[in-house]
Amino acid sequence: MPLGPVMLDLTGKSLDAEDREVLSHPAVGGVILFARNFESPRQLADLTASIHSLREPRLLIGVDQEGGRVQRFRHGFTRLPAAGRFAALYRRDPVQGCRACRSVAWLMAAELRSVGVDFSFAPVLDLDRGLNPVVGDRAFGARAREVSALALAWLEGVRCAGMAAVGKHFPGHGGVVSDSHIELPIDPRAYADLETEDMVPFERLITHALEAIMPAHVLYPHVDAQPAGFSSLWLRDVLRKRLAFQGVIFSDDLNMAAAAAYGDHAERARAASDAGCDMLVVCNNRPAALEVLEAFAGRRDPTAEVRLLRMHGRGHHERQRLHEFPAWQRGVRQVALLEDLETLELGLTDPTDPETKG
């Protein structure tokens, strides 16, 4: 059974009979996990194994494990720094900033791969313009050049650990104040401004074969009358044709308030699919997910199915031996370095005190 176009979530920490039935639906292609699905690394590994055993090719399993505020799995995993910490280090030393970003990205990906998760919805490629608190320190900085450099290092790190990357939120979510979880944000800038600033990190990673992109639930009225995630102009004309992107396009969550203008959830899913999304994400609303599954029960897109297969994780990291890997040890050291840097910047220690020097 090929991978379908719908990614949905689960309620608990293990599969029940209803979950197994739903995940066997031909329109399902993947599962997105949340903190409520996690108790321990062992339990998580059992959950992912049970999901993967249901179908062939196995369903994709993704999670938001960016670091900082957005890290779904914590106990038993390394506490990852926010992307903004790499930006702070990069401004002091670009080489060290990229080295740290690459090492921590490998660490994140290796830990997830060791418990059967295929990919994380990362990196965030938005520019932190100081406007949107939802972006904030989830971004690799305010300037396109530093965001591009750090995001490329992140891409290299996760790939070395056997994981694909998902850049978000195309063409850039940093120029608005509103939260798309609550309302539809509107960015009044012209295409030329977006192209020379916010789109630069996306274009840079696309030239390095970025595997997937998630568009923003943001309206850019001077470019198109439809929000990016529902716009064939943004997804088919700009992303596919002008930027020559060949990877997967994931919708942002269709249960968000910014998507409500498109009607019920099935209508939202059709609009996103018609615009060019390969995978439709529906979170925290099982009735809505079932509605979308019913609407897409007979749909097939062989090209999208091939793209989705490339999102499967590669190789396997034995969790019990991860700490023996030099790459894991480097990653942990870089996390500690970034924590020390943050402490110094917050003024919590005196850098001239011999007791604080390492």
Side-chain angles (χ1 to χ4, degrees):
M1 184 187 302
L3 293 176
V6 180
M7 174 172 266
L8 46 74
D9 59 337
L10 304 171
T11 302
K13 298 178 175 62
S14 61
L15 297 183
D16 59 24
E18 180 184 316
D19 291 329
R20 293 178 183 276
E21 180 179 359
V22 170
L23 296 183
S24 297
H25 192 287
V28 175
V31 175
I32 179 170
L33 298 177
F34 290 90
R36 66 174 178 270
N37 306 122
F38 174 71
E39 179 178 275
S40 68
R42 180 66 267 169
Q43 165 270 328
L44 181 60
D46 291 341
L47 175 60
T48 60
S50 63
I51 295 170
H52 281 152
S53 69
L54 291 174
R55 307 244 308 246
E56 186 60 43
R58 66 184 188 274
L59 294 172
L60 296 170
I61 301 176
V63 67
D64 288 308
Q65 190 86 340
E66 300 169 14
R69 290 175 288 154
V70 183
Q71 181 171 343
R72 307 303 186 201
F73 310 145
R74 294 178 182 270
H75 176 69
F77 286 80
T78 303
R79 290 292 295 268
L80 303 168
R85 303 312 310 157
F86 299 108
L89 181 57
Y90 182 92
R91 289 191 289 272
R92 292 184 173 208
D93 185 336
V95 173
Q96 179 61 24
C98 289
R99 182 182 299 123
C101 192
R102 189 179 299 109
S103 291
V104 175
W106 184 95
L107 177 65
M108 180 279 298
E111 290 188 341
L112 288 183
R113 290 296 304 126
S114 73
V115 293
V117 176
D118 290 299
F119 62 89
S120 171
F121 285 99
V124 170
L125 300 181
D126 305 319
L127 305 186
D128 177 17
R129 299 178 175 279
L131 298 174
N132 195 312
V134 175
V135 176
D137 65 358
R138 295 171 64 196
F140 285 120
R143 296 185 293 273
R145 181 177 179 180
E146 70 182 11
V147 172
S148 298
L150 289 167
L152 182 57
W154 182 275
L155 181 65
E156 293 169 348
V158 298
R159 281 180 174 169
C160 285
M163 181 177 284
V166 183
K168 58 188 187 184
H169 304 82
F170 179 81
H173 205 303
V176 296
V177 175
S178 302
D179 180 354
S180 54
H181 293 85
I182 300 171
E183 60 182 325
L184 177 63
I186 299 175
D187 190 327
R189 290 178 294 166
Y191 179 84
D193 295 326
L194 293 161
E195 183 180 35
T196 57
E197 297 178 3
D198 297 61
M199 289 168 57
V200 170
F202 292 94
E203 186 169 9
R204 176 79 185 278
L205 264 66
I206 287 171
T207 63
H208 287 81
L210 175 64
E211 293 88 354
I213 280 177
M214 176 178 284
H217 281 331
V218 174
L219 177 64
Y220 308 84
H222 287 287
V223 182
D224 191 33
Q226 310 301 327
F230 299 94
S231 167
S232 60
L233 186 154
W234 276 116
L235 302 186
R236 297 189 188 277
D237 294 345
V238 176
L239 194 52
R240 292 292 188 203
K241 294 179 182 178
R242 295 185 199 177
L243 301 184
F245 177 61
Q246 300 297 315
V248 174
I249 301 177
F250 286 91
S251 80
D252 206 343
D253 181 11
L254 297 176
N255 197 46
M256 290 164 63
Y262 287 86
D264 63 30
H265 290 81
E267 291 169 333
R268 301 176 198 185
R270 290 191 193 97
S273 178
D274 291 346
C277 289
D278 300 304
M279 182 72 92
L280 310 165
V281 182
V282 187
C283 303
N284 303 310
N285 191 333
R286 178 57 67 85
L290 296 177
E291 180 185 325
V292 174
L293 291 180
E294 185 62 27
F296 281 77
R299 285 211 185 187
R300 288 287 309 277
D301 185 341
T303 301
E305 291 165 8
V306 172
R307 292 184 186 126
L308 289 168
L309 289 174
R310 299 173 187 152
M311 296 302 297
H312 281 125
R314 303 175 303 280
H316 175 72
H317 296 278
E318 186 178 345
R319 182 168 185 82
Q320 290 74 14
R321 300 190 63 185
L322 263 183
H323 67 281
E324 299 176 8
F325 282 72
W328 186 89
Q329 296 164 11
R330 283 195 299 271
V332 170
R333 286 198 299 270
Q334 295 293 352
V335 170
L337 181 154
L338 289 162
E339 289 176 349
D340 290 344
L341 175 61
E342 182 174 18
T343 299
L344 291 172
E345 290 187 340
L346 290 173
L348 299 180
T349 61
D350 180 0
T352 65
D353 183 348
E355 293 299 319
T356 67
K357 293 181 179 179

